Amino acid sequence: MELIKTFTRLIAAELHLNEHAVENTLKLLDEGCTIPFISRYRKERTGGLDEVQITAISDRAERLHEIAKRKETITKTITEQEKMTPELQRRIDDCWELTTLEDIYLPYKPRRRTRAQVAREQGLEPLAQLLLLQREQHPKEAAKRFLHDGLTVADCLKGAQDIIAEQVSEDEHNRNSVRAAFRREAFIVSKVIKAKKDTDEAQKFSDYFDWEEPLKRCSSHRLLAMRRGEGEGILRVNITIEDEDAIERLKRSLPKGGGACRRLLEEAVEDSYKRLLLPSIETEFANLSKEKADEEAIRVFAENLRQLLLAAPLGQKRVMGIDPGFRTGCKVVCLDAQGNLLHHEAIFPHPPINHRMQATIHLQQMISNYHIEAIAIGNGTASRETKEFVEDSIQSLPSPLGEGSGVRLSVFVVSEDGASVYSASKAARDEFPDEDVTVRGAVSIGRRLMDPLAELVKIDPKSIGVGQYQHDVDQTQLKHSLDHVVESCVNQVGVNLNTASQHLLTYVSGLGPVLAQNIVDYRRENGAFLSRAQLKKVPRLGPAAFQQCAGFLRIPEAKNPLDNSAVHPECYTLVEQMAKDCSCSVSELINNKEKRSSIDIKKYVTAEVGIPTLTDIMKELEKPGRDPREQIEEFEFDPSVQTIDDLHEGMVLPGIVTNITNFGAFVDIGVHQDGLVHVSQLADRYVSDPTQVVRLHQHVRVRVVGIDLRRNRISLSMKSPRKS
């Protein structure tokens, strides 16, 4: 309990949040409540904290728990050495900053046999103290008192200096002095290793062959690029400061004095800095800068993933999925409105086989036979050519809604990032054990159009390809962040209990792989769920799991309309009382705006349910089970531009944002090579974060401002022409 109070105080101060709200959030997390559940259904207890704030509280609490464990280890180690004092214990107890804690521990930390330790074993510590006092006019004479076992005067003085050097390096004030210098003036320097300079693999790092900039100004992507080059043995990267200034500051911290002792002390300080302090603090700042770069890269990846998962769905339509290709042909699948595979075959409309007429006939037959309502084409090789072929082939076909409807068959280009990973996965083999990877990939493309979220949860987020340097960042932290994003998106949208896959159900609040599989098994054995209450019959799904998951699961065909809403079952009686007070049923209350408008929610406030929850309930009754995602839009590339050779500077083209990094956005303009809109070219104003201007898969208009045919690079701009 005392720990929660301490954590509450520290977290509330760091995040500038109300202590009562933080304490209640920590208690809810300790009770096993999930972040989506807390943010959606426990607003009264948290003061209305959102998912971002609750996640920040959870992350900081986890970090503080790690520090608490470290403090236990440190206390135990120092106590076993019989060096613990009340003052030292107080300092450890009061410290919640890991760097400071490690500085406190450093003099007591078990280590390998250092030069200073050897000198102490030789009995030279008293000589070191004599030098520090600077009272000896002739230190060499003093050193003679310590001669033994073959030691020379020079050996004794050097050993004493080693002891002093270690003491200097372990002094908290000295370490903080060097740290302060690194914060103010550290530079990151990158040099190419000469033997690798002319190799092909080194050219992608050519920008960093001779690079130097202040560390505090080094962006995440540049630091990660340099570290990758270092990891591949192409670059040598250092973080450094002006050594002479740092050494002089350390010398000024020595006791005042002069003469021969002073010179020996200053030599020890210089040795301490170069041999002990500098490597230690440089490593510390290298790690800190890498952690910050990781955090930024992970933040960008997580935001891109969120946008991708929440992309507009087509909904339950009969869809044709096409995985385009030239030599191997286009793999075509036909899916019903639930995404079940009805038919598949390969067609060859492109060179080198060029059976265009036959492909057209087969395509039209499939559209007619399976009543296709929309077509999804992967955005990989031959995507644009396949889209043109499909649009030509369907021009003569009647509307899927009948003649005279004015509605034509819609064609969409769908991102196929990660589709090959899914098609070779166990999940795909379990779904389609008798089909090969090409069919599974085409199915994934078709389903992504219907519901991107439901399909993408089957793929490891790292394989979706919407991040930067995702393989260079801390993989544990990346997985933690991306899993949280997937969980957040799934619960934000809600899940159809009777159609959701085991993969999708896994991310529902309170479930996980085992309960998700149990739900699927129960559904297979007993048929569709008729109510949320029926979930309680699923093996191992107890009251706690039911409380966490029920509000996020939907049953469109349920007898009780609230089962297809975000209203939690714990509030059903409250809604029923509202309906009773309005002299109508719950269904009538949902369908009658006037009756809902007449309700004074203040009358229904209880000890557990307050205005925030009641407000959410009224919004949900207005549009029960509504999908928060946007409506899907069709897109057309400029037909006059097919390859990079068709481009010229000044052209204004339509494009689709395919990836966002913190240095800009990549845009597909239909020439098989994405162009880059640098962050400085995203808007007519200063932009610090590209996600403030663009979102993934957004349709944009861009201007070509540079073409580098040798490196196959295209530079684009979204700024007004007069302001470029």
Side-chain angles (χ1 to χ4, degrees):
M1 190 63 186
E2 187 60 37
L3 208 55
I4 284 187
K5 291 288 186 185
T6 301
F7 286 8
T8 296
R9 175 175 52 80
L10 294 169
I11 294 170
E14 183 183 350
L15 300 178
H16 308 291
L17 296 174
N18 177 276
E19 284 195 16
H20 181 68
V22 172
E23 183 175 5
N24 280 342
T25 301
L26 289 173
K27 288 178 179 176
L28 287 165
L29 289 167
D30 282 346
E31 291 167 11
C33 296
T34 68
I35 291 172
F37 177 82
I38 295 170
S39 65
R40 182 67 176 82
Y41 296 113
R42 290 297 180 262
K43 291 181 178 178
E44 284 76 9
R45 289 186 63 180
T46 68
L49 297 180
D50 60 28
E51 275 198 38
V52 174
Q53 293 168 314
I54 295 168
T55 300
I57 291 171
S58 176
D59 289 345
R60 280 156 180 78
E62 189 175 325
R63 186 183 66 196
L64 289 172
H65 274 296
E66 291 300 318
I67 293 175
K69 289 179 184 176
R70 182 64 177 153
K71 287 164 74 169
E72 288 177 7
T73 301
I74 289 171
T75 298
K76 181 182 177 184
T77 303
I78 298 175
T79 301
E80 288 174 350
Q81 294 174 10
E82 299 182 350
K83 294 179 181 179
M84 183 62 75
T85 65
E87 173 61 20
L88 183 56
Q89 186 66 67
R90 183 192 64 76
R91 291 196 66 204
I92 293 171
D93 290 342
D94 292 345
C95 181
W96 290 98
E97 209 283 315
L98 194 56
T99 300
T100 305
L101 185 65
E102 294 296 341
D103 279 354
I104 294 171
Y105 181 43
L106 189 58
Y108 310 95
K109 190 174 184 178
R111 70 193 80 188
R112 59 182 174 80
R113 200 157 172 261
T114 64
R115 282 162 48 171
Q117 184 59 34
V118 172
R120 289 189 185 97
E121 292 170 2
Q122 292 170 337
L124 298 176
E125 191 152 21
L127 177 58
Q129 295 308 311
L130 286 173
L131 295 181
L132 281 168
L133 291 171
Q134 301 182 67
R135 292 176 184 170
E136 294 287 341
Q137 295 299 316
H138 305 287
K140 290 184 179 179
E141 292 300 317
K144 289 179 180 178
R145 302 201 295 268
F146 297 88
L147 295 174
H148 64 88
D149 297 335
L151 286 177
T152 65
V153 168
D155 292 337
C156 291
L157 291 174
K158 189 69 182 75
Q161 285 181 306
D162 288 340
I163 293 171
I164 293 166
E166 188 169 275
Q167 289 177 350
V168 168
S169 75
E170 291 180 348
D171 181 82
E172 285 182 60
H173 174 78
N174 291 337
R175 296 183 72 80
N176 285 328
S177 172
V178 178
R179 278 194 193 101
F182 266 78
R183 289 191 196 98
R184 287 191 310 270
E185 58 199 53
F187 274 76
I188 184 166
V189 180
S190 172
K191 302 285 185 183
V192 67
I193 294 173
K194 289 183 179 179
K196 296 291 186 71
K197 184 176 181 179
D198 296 323
T199 61
D200 291 340
E201 61 266 25
Q203 297 315 302
K204 58 186 175 183
F205 300 106
S206 59
D207 290 343
Y208 304 104
F209 281 1
D210 187 14
W211 180 268
E212 179 179 311
E213 69 174 312
L215 180 62
K216 59 187 176 184
R217 294 182 190 168
C218 184
S219 65
S220 164
H221 65 275
R222 288 200 298 275
L223 190 139
L224 290 173
M226 284 184 264
R227 291 300 181 195
R228 179 184 288 182
E230 183 181 41
E232 293 183 13
I234 292 165
L235 303 176
R236 185 176 289 109
V237 181
N238 298 104
I239 296 172
T240 188
I241 58 173
E242 289 295 335
D243 292 343
E244 293 305 319
D245 291 344
I247 292 169
E248 284 305 313
R249 281 191 290 268
L250 291 175
K251 287 178 181 179
R252 288 196 293 270
S253 69
L254 289 170
K256 291 184 178 180
C261 283
R262 182 72 183 187
R263 287 193 297 274
L264 290 170
L265 285 178
E266 290 184 349
E267 287 175 6
V269 166
E270 190 164 344
D271 174 54
S272 175
Y273 174 78
K274 292 180 177 178
R275 181 169 57 86
L276 301 172
L277 263 173
L278 180 61
S280 173
I281 303 301
E282 181 182 354
T283 298
E284 186 178 302
F285 271 76
N287 292 337
L288 283 172
S289 60
K290 174 66 164 55
E291 286 174 16
K292 288 182 180 178
D294 283 3
E295 287 175 8
E296 178 62 16
I298 290 170
R299 183 194 67 79
V300 172
F301 196 156
E303 180 56 32
N304 285 351
L305 179 63
R306 181 181 297 278
Q307 293 177 15
L308 191 64
L309 293 174
L310 295 179
L314 180 68
Q316 291 191 324
K317 306 277 188 182
R318 293 182 295 278
V319 168
M320 173 180 285
I322 303 178
D323 184 359
F326 287 114
R327 182 180 56 80
T328 56
C330 298
K331 275 63 73 177
V332 184
V333 297
C334 298
L335 310 174
D336 67 16
Q338 286 71 47
N340 297 310
L341 177 61
L342 303 175
H343 173 78
H344 68 83
E345 65 178 86
I347 57 175
F348 299 86
H350 308 308
I353 297 179
N354 238 346
H355 291 169
R356 192 176 182 89
M357 181 60 70
Q358 185 183 43
T360 299
I361 294 170
H362 281 242
L363 188 79
Q364 291 177 342
Q365 287 175 341
M366 285 185 278
I367 291 170
S368 176
N369 292 343
Y370 298 102
H371 310 289
I372 297 300
E373 298 172 90
I375 299 173
I377 300 170
N379 68 342
T381 304
S383 172
R384 188 158 183 189
E385 292 80 358
T386 301
K387 185 171 186 287
E388 291 172 357
F389 158 72
V390 168
E391 288 177 336
D392 287 344
S393 299
I394 65 176
Q395 278 186 349
S396 61
L397 290 176
S399 163
L401 298 183
E403 289 186 28
S405 68
V407 178
R408 65 183 181 82
L409 192 64
S410 298
V411 180
F412 300 89
V413 175
V414 177
S415 170
E416 58 181 56
D417 284 335
S420 60
V421 175
Y422 162 75
S423 62
S425 69
K426 182 180 183 301
R429 292 196 300 272
D430 289 345
E431 279 194 276
F432 304 104
D434 300 324
E435 309 297 348
D436 65 22
V437 292
T438 60
V439 174
R440 297 172 195 155
V443 170
S444 181
I445 289 168
R447 287 179 174 176
R448 285 189 194 194
L449 176 63
M450 299 168 72
D451 190 340
L453 178 60
E455 193 62 20
L456 289 171
V457 294
K458 301 174 184 176
I459 304 169
D460 182 347
K462 289 186 294 183
S463 302
I464 296 175
V466 291
Q468 57 179 105
Y469 298 103
Q470 57 259 44
H471 300 295
D472 299 273
V473 302
D474 184 293
Q475 296 301 295
T476 301
Q477 187 62 34
L478 177 64
K479 185 178 188 310
H480 172 77
S481 179
L482 299 186
D483 283 349
H484 168 70
V485 169
V486 177
E487 180 187 43
S488 173
C489 293
V490 168
N491 289 286
Q492 181 181 338
V493 172
V495 171
N496 185 327
L497 181 56
N498 285 325
T499 61
S501 67
Q502 186 259 347
H503 300 88
L504 190 58
L505 289 167
T506 294
Y507 289 100
V508 172
S509 169
L511 293 183
V514 174
L515 287 179
Q517 188 60 56
N518 289 355
I519 288 173
V520 172
D521 293 342
Y522 181 91
R523 195 171 65 197
R524 186 183 301 116
E525 294 168 10
N526 300 279
F529 285 87
L530 303 178
S531 71
R532 280 172 168 166
Q534 198 177 345
L535 277 165
K536 296 175 182 178
K537 297 180 180 179
V538 173
R540 300 179 65 178
L541 201 155
F546 178 80
Q547 181 193 55
Q548 295 295 308
C549 74
F552 302 102
L553 295 168
R554 309 278 187 268
I555 307 176
E557 310 83 10
K559 182 177 179 182
N560 186 340
L562 296 179
D563 281 347
N564 191 38
S565 75
V567 177
H568 198 281
E570 63 192 10
C571 290
Y572 280 13
T573 54
L574 189 149
V575 178
E576 289 162 0
Q577 185 61 49
M578 288 179 179
K580 184 178 179 182
D581 293 344
C582 291
S583 303
C584 66
S585 66
V586 171
S587 295
E588 290 170 332
L589 185 65
I590 290 171
N591 295 319
N592 193 315
K593 183 178 179 180
E594 289 183 11
K595 287 187 181 293
R596 294 196 308 273
S597 300
S598 69
I599 294 174
D600 180 4
I601 60 174
K602 294 177 183 176
K603 294 180 180 179
Y604 300 94
V605 172
T606 66
E608 293 79 26
V609 181
I611 295 297
T613 294
L614 289 165
T615 302
D616 284 346
I617 289 173
M618 296 309 296
K619 287 180 181 177
E620 191 62 24
L621 293 179
E622 183 181 343
K623 291 181 179 178
R626 65 189 180 281
D627 194 318
R629 294 172 288 183
E630 296 179 354
Q631 293 292 313
I632 196 166
E633 297 177 358
E634 290 186 62
F635 175 83
E636 293 286 343
F637 288 117
D638 187 319
S640 66
V641 175
Q642 300 287 332
T643 70
I644 194 171
D645 295 322
D646 296 328
L647 298 178
H648 61 78
E649 290 186 16
M651 292 182 84
V652 177
L653 301 168
I656 300 175
V657 178
T658 58
N659 197 5
I660 302 172
T661 70
N662 58 8
F663 57 85
F666 288 93
V667 177
D668 182 359
I669 54 175
V671 296
H672 308 293
Q673 174 61 46
D674 290 354
L676 173 65
V677 183
H678 189 266
V679 63
S680 63
Q681 295 291 318
L682 280 170
D684 294 333
R685 55 182 172 81
Y686 173 74
V687 177
S688 60
D689 180 0
T691 60
Q692 296 174 347
V693 180
V694 290
R695 66 182 188 279
L696 213 59
H697 293 173
Q698 180 180 345
H699 299 171
V700 295
R701 292 195 69 78
V702 293
R703 191 175 70 263
V704 179
V705 294
I707 307 161
D708 186 339
L709 293 175
R710 185 176 66 83
R711 294 197 293 178
N712 207 32
R713 289 185 179 180
I714 305 165
S715 299
L716 306 171
S717 176
M718 290 171 56
K719 295 174 76 171
S720 303
R722 64 183 181 280
K723 297 185 179 181
S724 295

